[in-house]
Structure formats: structure tokens, C-alpha cells
Amino acid sequence: ILPIYPKEARAAGVSGVVILNVRTDEFGRVADTMVLRSIPLLDQAAIDAVKQWVYEPMVIEGKAVPVVFTVTVRFQLK
């Protein structure tokens, strides 16, 4: 699922990269996010998209475990 470019950001010509810290649960679902690099008009769109993503679970010693990593979401006007 791609992020939806906010109308306000598009009208203002705002583009760039939002970086999120993401924690997934043992099933690979996004459990929590935190903005590490912010573009205020784009942050919520990035969070909303990433929260819908599902990752392959991290398996350590045969057991699925939660994991924390960063995600870069690029917004580019065309």
C-alpha cells in the first residue's frame, strides 16, 4: 500500500523523505511507529501507509519474535 499524498502538501509543493522507526509483532504486523525524520505535512500519510504493511516475521532459533527497524518513505511530486 502506497502512502496517499496529502492534498495540502501537494498544493504547498512539499516533498521529501519521512523516516520511521517501526516495531513489528511476532506475526510481522506493524505494532508501533515513531517518526525519526519529520516533514510535518507528510508524517501522518507515511505512518498510515506503513501501519498497513505486513512483513515476514523474524525467526530466531525457530521462534518468531518482534523486531525494530527503520523505514524510509519517499514523497516525490511529479
Side-chain angles (χ1 to χ4, degrees):
I1 295 175
L2 296 175
I4 297 172
Y5 216 117
K7 291 178 185 176
E8 302 83 17
R10 186 178 298 280
V14 175
S15 62
V17 173
V18 175
I19 299 176
L20 302 174
N21 191 54
V22 175
R23 181 176 57 86
T24 58
D25 63 16
E26 62 272 11
F27 303 105
R29 297 178 302 220
V30 174
D32 192 32
T33 61
M34 181 176 71
V35 177
L36 297 177
R37 180 174 177 198
S38 176
I39 300 176
L41 289 175
L42 302 174
D43 292 349
Q44 193 60 53
I47 291 167
D48 292 344
V50 170
K51 282 187 173 182
Q52 296 179 65
W53 299 353
V54 178
Y55 293 86
E56 186 172 328
M58 171 69 78
V59 178
I60 298 176
E61 296 180 9
K63 182 179 178 190
V65 296
V67 66
V68 176
F69 54 96
T70 58
V71 173
T72 301
V73 181
R74 183 175 309 276
F75 290 86
Q76 186 173 0
L77 292 170
K78 295 185 181 192

